[in-house]
Amino acid sequence: MNHDEMAIAVEALRGVGPVELALRTDKLAREYPFGVEPQFVIDTTDPDDPALVLCDRYWGLRLRTDPRIEVAADCAGWVAENVVADRRGIVERWGLGHGFVTCDQVESPELVAAVEADILAMTDRLGAMHAALYHAGKLRANSDGAALHRFLESSRLVAAVGHDDPLIVALRSFAAFVDRRFTTDYALTEFETAWTAWNDGRAGRAVVDLALNGLARADRFDGQAELLAGRAQVVLGRYRDDHIFHARLAHGLHLLGDPVRALLHIDEALKLLPANGWRTSHDLLAQQYALLRDDILMNYPR
C-alpha cells in the first residue's frame, strides 16, 4: 500500500468509534514494509486524529520489536520532521507512553550512556527530551526510583533538556516518592516545584500526571491523603474527562477513608479509560484501576 492509498484508508476512519479506530489503525500500521516510515504531516492537536493514531501505532510497533533507545531517537527525528502542531505535547505523550509499553525491556545504564552522544549529535532539545523520556518512562513504569533518579542526574540527554525543566522536576519527584532512600521533604519540594509550574500554566498535563503518580505511590506519610485528594480535585477542574485523574482522586479519597466517593471516581475512571490507546497500556491501567476498586470495596459500608 503506497502513501496515497494509506491516506485514503486513514481518511475513511474519521468519525469511527474508538475501538474500531484502534483495531483498524493497528492493522494499517502493520502494513508498512520494513524501513518505510509514515509520510503524514501532523498539523492537529486532536489525540484521536486517525493519522496521528496510526503514526503512534507504527512507532509503538517498531519499538516493541526493537526497544533500543536509538529507535526512540529515530522516532524523535520523525516527529521533528512531521509534527507541526504541539510537537512538545507529542514528545511528552509518545516518549513516556512508548516507555510504558516497553518497560519489560530496560537497557542498562552503560548501553544508554554509550549512545547519548550520537543521539545528541543528530537532534535538538526536544529530540533529546523524547529519547530521555522513553528511557525514563520504562524506569517510571517499573517504579525503579533509584535507577530513575540516577538517570536524571547523570544523563547527557537530560542535561540537554535542562534539569530545571518541569517535566524533569516531576520525574525527580516521582523517583523520590517511590524510593525510600530519599526523604519525604525532598520529594515534596520537587513535587511542589512541578505543581507550581503546572498551576502557573508553564507546564502541561504530563507534569502534573507524573507528580500525582509519585505522590500516590509514596509510602504513607502525614498529610499524604489530604494532599493527593485535594490536588487531584484541582486537576480535575481542568481535565474533567481524564480517567487518570479520576483514579488519582479515588486513591486519595480511599486513603482518607471515604469509600463512597472513592468508588464513584474509580468507576468513572474505568468508564473513561480510552479504548484507542495501545492495548498493552489500556490493559495495564485497567488492571491497576480494578485492583484499586477492589481495595475500596473492602472498606465500603454495608
Side-chain angles (χ1 to χ4, degrees):
M1 184 181 292
N2 61 35
H3 176 68
D4 290 341
E5 293 170 329
M6 187 68 75
I8 292 171
V10 167
E11 189 63 28
L13 298 181
R14 297 195 181 279
V16 305
V19 174
E20 185 178 358
L21 180 63
L23 292 173
R24 290 174 63 179
T25 51
D26 184 76
K27 181 176 183 297
L28 288 172
R30 295 174 189 275
E31 294 184 12
Y32 279 99
F34 179 78
V36 175
E37 298 176 356
Q39 298 176 36
F40 292 96
V41 174
I42 306 301
D43 58 0
T44 177
T45 59
D46 178 8
D48 298 321
D49 177 76
L52 179 58
V53 175
L54 169 66
C55 295
D56 186 11
R57 281 281 190 278
Y58 169 85
W59 283 106
L61 289 169
R62 280 272 300 269
L63 286 160
R64 287 296 295 170
T65 301
D66 185 355
R68 293 174 302 137
I69 195 171
E70 295 101 310
V71 181
D74 290 341
C75 177
W78 182 93
V79 170
E81 292 181 1
N82 292 274
V83 174
V84 297
D86 189 25
R87 181 184 165 201
R88 170 148 181 158
I90 296 298
V91 164
E92 292 178 352
R93 191 159 68 248
W94 286 17
L96 291 168
H98 291 158
F100 183 74
V101 299
T102 58
C103 66
D104 57 331
Q105 302 182 73
V106 181
E107 292 175 279
S108 70
E110 294 76 18
L111 284 175
V112 172
V115 299
E116 286 187 316
D118 291 339
I119 292 173
L120 287 171
M122 57 180 282
T123 192
D124 59 7
R125 180 175 178 271
L126 278 179
M129 175 181 285
H130 195 143
L133 290 181
Y134 173 68
H135 186 67
K138 295 182 180 186
L139 302 175
R140 175 235 185 163
N142 292 331
S143 293
D144 192 343
L148 176 57
H149 200 275
R150 283 195 300 271
F151 174 68
L152 296 173
E153 292 298 294
S154 64
S155 167
R156 294 177 64 180
L157 293 170
V158 174
V161 173
H163 290 100
D164 59 348
D165 185 282
L167 202 55
I168 303 304
V169 176
L171 282 165
R172 280 201 305 271
S173 169
F174 177 92
F177 272 130
V178 301
D179 191 324
R180 294 179 179 178
R181 284 170 288 191
F182 295 100
T183 67
T184 300
D185 285 346
Y186 170 64
L188 284 171
T189 297
E190 299 291 82
F191 172 87
E192 291 294 352
T193 300
W195 172 269
T196 299
W198 174 81
N199 203 37
D200 291 348
R202 293 181 286 112
R205 178 194 175 281
V207 167
V208 74
D209 176 23
L210 286 168
L212 289 179
N213 188 197
L215 179 60
R217 298 293 301 275
D219 285 347
R220 294 294 297 272
F221 61 86
D222 289 344
Q224 177 193 18
E226 293 83 358
L227 184 62
L228 178 57
R231 297 297 176 84
Q233 187 71 65
V234 172
V235 175
L236 272 176
R238 193 177 300 182
Y239 308 111
R240 296 186 181 278
D241 295 325
D242 194 308
H243 60 93
I244 284 180
F245 298 123
H246 277 283
R248 298 284 181 261
L249 179 54
H251 193 162
L253 292 169
H254 176 48
L255 294 179
L256 278 173
D258 189 347
V260 176
R261 291 175 61 206
L263 186 63
L264 289 174
H265 283 284
I266 197 60
D267 283 346
E268 188 68 11
L270 285 162
K271 183 178 76 174
L272 292 170
L273 182 61
N276 63 340
W278 270 91
R279 295 312 307 172
T280 303
S281 59
H282 179 282
D283 292 345
L284 286 171
L285 286 170
Q287 292 170 18
Q288 292 173 12
Y289 294 175
L291 287 172
L292 176 57
R293 190 178 192 276
D294 288 344
D295 284 345
I296 293 169
L297 284 174
M298 290 180 64
N299 297 299
Y300 202 80
R302 301 183 184 278

PDB file of all heavy atoms in Angstrom, residues 159-177:
ATOM      1  N   ALA A 159      20.580  16.473  30.649  1.00  0.00           N
ATOM      2  CA  ALA A 159      21.291  17.750  30.769  1.00  0.00           C
ATOM      3  C   ALA A 159      20.972  18.662  29.598  1.00  0.00           C
ATOM      4  O   ALA A 159      20.844  19.884  29.753  1.00  0.00           O
ATOM      5  CB  ALA A 159      22.793  17.498  30.855  1.00  0.00           C
ATOM      6  N   ALA A 160      20.813  18.071  28.389  1.00  0.00           N
ATOM      7  CA  ALA A 160      20.476  18.871  27.213  1.00  0.00           C
ATOM      8  C   ALA A 160      19.064  19.435  27.318  1.00  0.00           C
ATOM      9  O   ALA A 160      18.774  20.519  26.805  1.00  0.00           O
ATOM     10  CB  ALA A 160      20.606  18.018  25.956  1.00  0.00           C
ATOM     11  N   VAL A 161      18.184  18.711  27.985  1.00  0.00           N
ATOM     12  CA  VAL A 161      16.819  19.195  28.214  1.00  0.00           C
ATOM     13  C   VAL A 161      16.832  20.318  29.244  1.00  0.00           C
ATOM     14  O   VAL A 161      16.160  21.342  29.089  1.00  0.00           O
ATOM     15  CB  VAL A 161      15.913  18.039  28.693  1.00  0.00           C
ATOM     16  CG1 VAL A 161      14.535  18.563  29.091  1.00  0.00           C
ATOM     17  CG2 VAL A 161      15.785  16.966  27.618  1.00  0.00           C
ATOM     18  N   GLY A 162      17.606  20.113  30.300  1.00  0.00           N
ATOM     19  CA  GLY A 162      17.667  21.077  31.399  1.00  0.00           C
ATOM     20  C   GLY A 162      17.121  20.470  32.672  1.00  0.00           C
ATOM     21  O   GLY A 162      15.970  20.010  32.683  1.00  0.00           O
ATOM     22  N   HIS A 163      17.923  20.447  33.735  1.00  0.00           N
ATOM     23  CA  HIS A 163      17.480  19.818  34.976  1.00  0.00           C
ATOM     24  C   HIS A 163      16.330  20.571  35.643  1.00  0.00           C
ATOM     25  O   HIS A 163      15.661  20.022  36.521  1.00  0.00           O
ATOM     26  CB  HIS A 163      18.653  19.675  35.945  1.00  0.00           C
ATOM     27  CG  HIS A 163      19.654  18.654  35.514  1.00  0.00           C
ATOM     28  ND1 HIS A 163      20.837  18.984  34.894  1.00  0.00           N
ATOM     29  CD2 HIS A 163      19.650  17.294  35.595  1.00  0.00           C
ATOM     30  CE1 HIS A 163      21.522  17.881  34.629  1.00  0.00           C
ATOM     31  NE2 HIS A 163      20.821  16.843  35.031  1.00  0.00           N
ATOM     32  N   ASP A 164      16.113  21.817  35.237  1.00  0.00           N
ATOM     33  CA  ASP A 164      15.021  22.590  35.825  1.00  0.00           C
ATOM     34  C   ASP A 164      13.758  22.564  34.979  1.00  0.00           C
ATOM     35  O   ASP A 164      12.762  23.223  35.320  1.00  0.00           O
ATOM     36  CB  ASP A 164      15.458  24.032  36.060  1.00  0.00           C
ATOM     37  CG  ASP A 164      15.891  24.737  34.774  1.00  0.00           C
ATOM     38  OD1 ASP A 164      16.067  24.048  33.743  1.00  0.00           O
ATOM     39  OD2 ASP A 164      16.051  25.977  34.804  1.00  0.00           O
ATOM     40  N   ASP A 165      13.767  21.803  33.886  1.00  0.00           N
ATOM     41  CA  ASP A 165      12.541  21.665  33.106  1.00  0.00           C
ATOM     42  C   ASP A 165      11.480  21.014  33.993  1.00  0.00           C
ATOM     43  O   ASP A 165      11.757  20.028  34.691  1.00  0.00           O
ATOM     44  CB  ASP A 165      12.787  20.794  31.867  1.00  0.00           C
ATOM     45  CG  ASP A 165      11.570  20.727  30.956  1.00  0.00           C
ATOM     46  OD1 ASP A 165      10.623  19.972  31.288  1.00  0.00           O
ATOM     47  OD2 ASP A 165      11.563  21.415  29.927  1.00  0.00           O
ATOM     48  N   PRO A 166      10.244  21.537  34.008  1.00  0.00           N
ATOM     49  CA  PRO A 166       9.221  20.991  34.909  1.00  0.00           C
ATOM     50  C   PRO A 166       9.003  19.485  34.769  1.00  0.00           C
ATOM     51  O   PRO A 166       8.712  18.801  35.758  1.00  0.00           O
ATOM     52  CB  PRO A 166       7.961  21.777  34.521  1.00  0.00           C
ATOM     53  CG  PRO A 166       8.479  23.077  34.008  1.00  0.00           C
ATOM     54  CD  PRO A 166       9.752  22.736  33.288  1.00  0.00           C
ATOM     55  N   LEU A 167       9.164  18.965  33.560  1.00  0.00           N
ATOM     56  CA  LEU A 167       8.970  17.530  33.371  1.00  0.00           C
ATOM     57  C   LEU A 167      10.069  16.735  34.068  1.00  0.00           C
ATOM     58  O   LEU A 167       9.811  15.682  34.668  1.00  0.00           O
ATOM     59  CB  LEU A 167       8.936  17.201  31.878  1.00  0.00           C
ATOM     60  CG  LEU A 167       8.257  15.901  31.466  1.00  0.00           C
ATOM     61  CD1 LEU A 167       6.840  15.816  31.998  1.00  0.00           C
ATOM     62  CD2 LEU A 167       8.259  15.782  29.958  1.00  0.00           C
ATOM     63  N   ILE A 168      11.295  17.223  34.020  1.00  0.00           N
ATOM     64  CA  ILE A 168      12.395  16.559  34.712  1.00  0.00           C
ATOM     65  C   ILE A 168      12.212  16.676  36.219  1.00  0.00           C
ATOM     66  O   ILE A 168      12.464  15.717  36.971  1.00  0.00           O
ATOM     67  CB  ILE A 168      13.749  17.163  34.273  1.00  0.00           C
ATOM     68  CG1 ILE A 168      13.909  17.061  32.741  1.00  0.00           C
ATOM     69  CG2 ILE A 168      14.892  16.476  34.990  1.00  0.00           C
ATOM     70  CD1 ILE A 168      13.791  15.660  32.183  1.00  0.00           C
ATOM     71  N   VAL A 169      11.762  17.826  36.677  1.00  0.00           N
ATOM     72  CA  VAL A 169      11.494  18.006  38.104  1.00  0.00           C
ATOM     73  C   VAL A 169      10.408  17.033  38.562  1.00  0.00           C
ATOM     74  O   VAL A 169      10.527  16.407  39.628  1.00  0.00           O
ATOM     75  CB  VAL A 169      11.071  19.457  38.404  1.00  0.00           C
ATOM     76  CG1 VAL A 169      10.699  19.615  39.887  1.00  0.00           C
ATOM     77  CG2 VAL A 169      12.188  20.429  38.042  1.00  0.00           C
ATOM     78  N   ALA A 170       9.349  16.888  37.765  1.00  0.00           N
ATOM     79  CA  ALA A 170       8.263  15.967  38.115  1.00  0.00           C
ATOM     80  C   ALA A 170       8.763  14.528  38.167  1.00  0.00           C
ATOM     81  O   ALA A 170       8.355  13.743  39.035  1.00  0.00           O
ATOM     82  CB  ALA A 170       7.119  16.101  37.116  1.00  0.00           C
ATOM     83  N   LEU A 171       9.650  14.164  37.247  1.00  0.00           N
ATOM     84  CA  LEU A 171      10.234  12.822  37.275  1.00  0.00           C
ATOM     85  C   LEU A 171      11.086  12.619  38.525  1.00  0.00           C
ATOM     86  O   LEU A 171      11.076  11.532  39.126  1.00  0.00           O
ATOM     87  CB  LEU A 171      11.058  12.585  36.015  1.00  0.00           C
ATOM     88  CG  LEU A 171      10.265  12.255  34.753  1.00  0.00           C
ATOM     89  CD1 LEU A 171      11.142  12.409  33.512  1.00  0.00           C
ATOM     90  CD2 LEU A 171       9.698  10.832  34.828  1.00  0.00           C
ATOM     91  N   ARG A 172      11.854  13.642  38.917  1.00  0.00           N
ATOM     92  CA  ARG A 172      12.642  13.528  40.153  1.00  0.00           C
ATOM     93  C   ARG A 172      11.722  13.358  41.352  1.00  0.00           C
ATOM     94  O   ARG A 172      12.008  12.595  42.279  1.00  0.00           O
ATOM     95  CB  ARG A 172      13.528  14.761  40.355  1.00  0.00           C
ATOM     96  CG  ARG A 172      14.801  14.761  39.555  1.00  0.00           C
ATOM     97  CD  ARG A 172      15.855  15.696  40.157  1.00  0.00           C
ATOM     98  NE  ARG A 172      15.378  17.056  40.327  1.00  0.00           N
ATOM     99  CZ  ARG A 172      15.473  17.999  39.397  1.00  0.00           C
ATOM    100  NH1 ARG A 172      16.006  17.727  38.219  1.00  0.00           N
ATOM    101  NH2 ARG A 172      15.040  19.217  39.641  1.00  0.00           N
ATOM    102  N   SER A 173      10.604  14.097  41.344  1.00  0.00           N
ATOM    103  CA  SER A 173       9.634  13.966  42.422  1.00  0.00           C
ATOM    104  C   SER A 173       9.113  12.531  42.494  1.00  0.00           C
ATOM    105  O   SER A 173       9.052  11.927  43.578  1.00  0.00           O
ATOM    106  CB  SER A 173       8.476  14.940  42.194  1.00  0.00           C
ATOM    107  OG  SER A 173       7.409  14.678  43.070  1.00  0.00           O
ATOM    108  N   PHE A 174       8.749  11.976  41.336  1.00  0.00           N
ATOM    109  CA  PHE A 174       8.263  10.595  41.306  1.00  0.00           C
ATOM    110  C   PHE A 174       9.321   9.646  41.856  1.00  0.00           C
ATOM    111  O   PHE A 174       9.035   8.789  42.699  1.00  0.00           O
ATOM    112  CB  PHE A 174       7.899  10.196  39.874  1.00  0.00           C
ATOM    113  CG  PHE A 174       7.453   8.765  39.744  1.00  0.00           C
ATOM    114  CD1 PHE A 174       6.116   8.438  39.840  1.00  0.00           C
ATOM    115  CD2 PHE A 174       8.380   7.750  39.536  1.00  0.00           C
ATOM    116  CE1 PHE A 174       5.711   7.115  39.735  1.00  0.00           C
ATOM    117  CE2 PHE A 174       7.987   6.428  39.435  1.00  0.00           C
ATOM    118  CZ  PHE A 174       6.640   6.109  39.535  1.00  0.00           C
ATOM    119  N   ALA A 175      10.563   9.785  41.366  1.00  0.00           N
ATOM    120  CA  ALA A 175      11.646   8.903  41.809  1.00  0.00           C
ATOM    121  C   ALA A 175      11.836   8.974  43.318  1.00  0.00           C
ATOM    122  O   ALA A 175      12.018   7.951  43.996  1.00  0.00           O
ATOM    123  CB  ALA A 175      12.936   9.269  41.084  1.00  0.00           C
ATOM    124  N   ALA A 176      11.786  10.186  43.873  1.00  0.00           N
ATOM    125  CA  ALA A 176      11.996  10.355  45.303  1.00  0.00           C
ATOM    126  C   ALA A 176      10.844   9.793  46.121  1.00  0.00           C
ATOM    127  O   ALA A 176      11.059   9.239  47.214  1.00  0.00           O
ATOM    128  CB  ALA A 176      12.195  11.840  45.622  1.00  0.00           C
ATOM    129  N   PHE A 177       9.634   9.900  45.611  1.00  0.00           N
ATOM    130  CA  PHE A 177       8.488   9.361  46.333  1.00  0.00           C
ATOM    131  C   PHE A 177       8.523   7.836  46.404  1.00  0.00           C
ATOM    132  O   PHE A 177       8.112   7.245  47.410  1.00  0.00           O
ATOM    133  CB  PHE A 177       7.182   9.808  45.683  1.00  0.00           C
ATOM    134  CG  PHE A 177       6.644  11.119  46.172  1.00  0.00           C
ATOM    135  CD1 PHE A 177       6.270  12.116  45.272  1.00  0.00           C
ATOM    136  CD2 PHE A 177       6.493  11.380  47.527  1.00  0.00           C
ATOM    137  CE1 PHE A 177       5.761  13.330  45.714  1.00  0.00           C
ATOM    138  CE2 PHE A 177       5.982  12.592  47.982  1.00  0.00           C
ATOM    139  CZ  PHE A 177       5.618  13.567  47.063  1.00  0.00           C
TER     140      PHE A 177
END
